[in-house]
Amino acid sequence: MKTHSTNYFNTLIMTATDTKVVKGTVPPSKHNKTVAERQYELIVSAPYQYTSDDIIFQVYAERKDLMPDEYPLARTVFFSRGQACLRASPLTKTYGYGVHSNSEGKVALYGMETEEYQKFVKDGNTKKVKAMKSSK
């Protein structure tokens, strides 16, 4: 079975050009956690601990109420199809965050207003990709 991946390496996913915020903004808390809220909590609680694949699958597993013993098979099936990467995340499209992937593919969030974000933008060794636009 073919495996697809959403991981990037030494890459900054820049905020969407049509984002309506001017700085990284914490997604609002809802009764049922949104994708943005779940992704934000996972990445902020453990910067550079998880890959994009880890984050995207974990959010999927939580939303589907999967039990941890179901994860290995579910993850194999989940990544047997292409999945939207963090370029399509509400964090990069709506909430003003860039996602940096290090050389191991592990991710961290940086608000678009931060010095760190600007350093990655100017760094010639960091590949840059834009987040998906919210509108067509």
Side-chain angles (χ1 to χ4, degrees):
M1 188 181 307
K2 184 172 164 94
T3 302
H4 297 268
S5 177
T6 66
N7 294 339
Y8 284 94
F9 301 89
N10 294 318
T11 301
L12 175 68
I13 299 174
M14 300 170 67
T15 55
T17 54
D18 64 347
T19 188
K20 293 176 177 41
V21 297
V22 294
K23 64 180 191 144
T25 306
V26 177
S29 187
K30 305 261 176 151
H31 176 66
N32 289 326
K33 287 185 182 181
T34 63
V35 167
E37 193 176 359
R38 289 171 193 264
Q39 288 178 343
Y40 178 85
E41 287 175 356
L42 284 168
I43 299 170
V44 168
S45 69
Y48 296 115
Q49 295 298 308
Y50 302 111
T51 65
S52 172
D53 284 355
D54 295 337
I55 299 295
I56 289 168
F57 177 75
Q58 185 62 40
V59 169
Y60 166 81
E62 288 175 8
R63 295 182 80 209
K64 295 291 185 190
D65 292 321
L66 297 180
M67 300 304 294
D69 63 327
E70 297 175 287
Y71 284 16
L73 177 59
R75 187 174 171 129
T76 300
V77 172
F78 183 74
F79 285 111
S80 69
R81 303 180 307 283
Q83 299 295 330
C85 69
L86 291 174
R87 289 182 58 216
S89 168
L91 297 175
T92 58
K93 290 171 60 172
T94 307
Y95 293 104
Y97 288 100
V99 176
H100 179 254
S101 300
N102 67 14
S103 61
E104 298 174 353
K106 308 282 178 106
V107 298
L109 286 180
Y110 294 94
M112 62 193 287
E113 78 287 359
T114 64
E115 267 183 54
E116 294 91 342
Y117 180 92
Q118 294 307 319
K119 279 186 202 168
F120 289 126
V121 168
K122 294 174 183 155
D123 181 2
N125 294 320
T126 301
K127 182 179 173 188
K128 279 71 129 186
V129 294
K130 289 265 189 206
M132 304 286 188
K133 289 183 178 181
S134 294
S135 57
K136 301 228 178 218

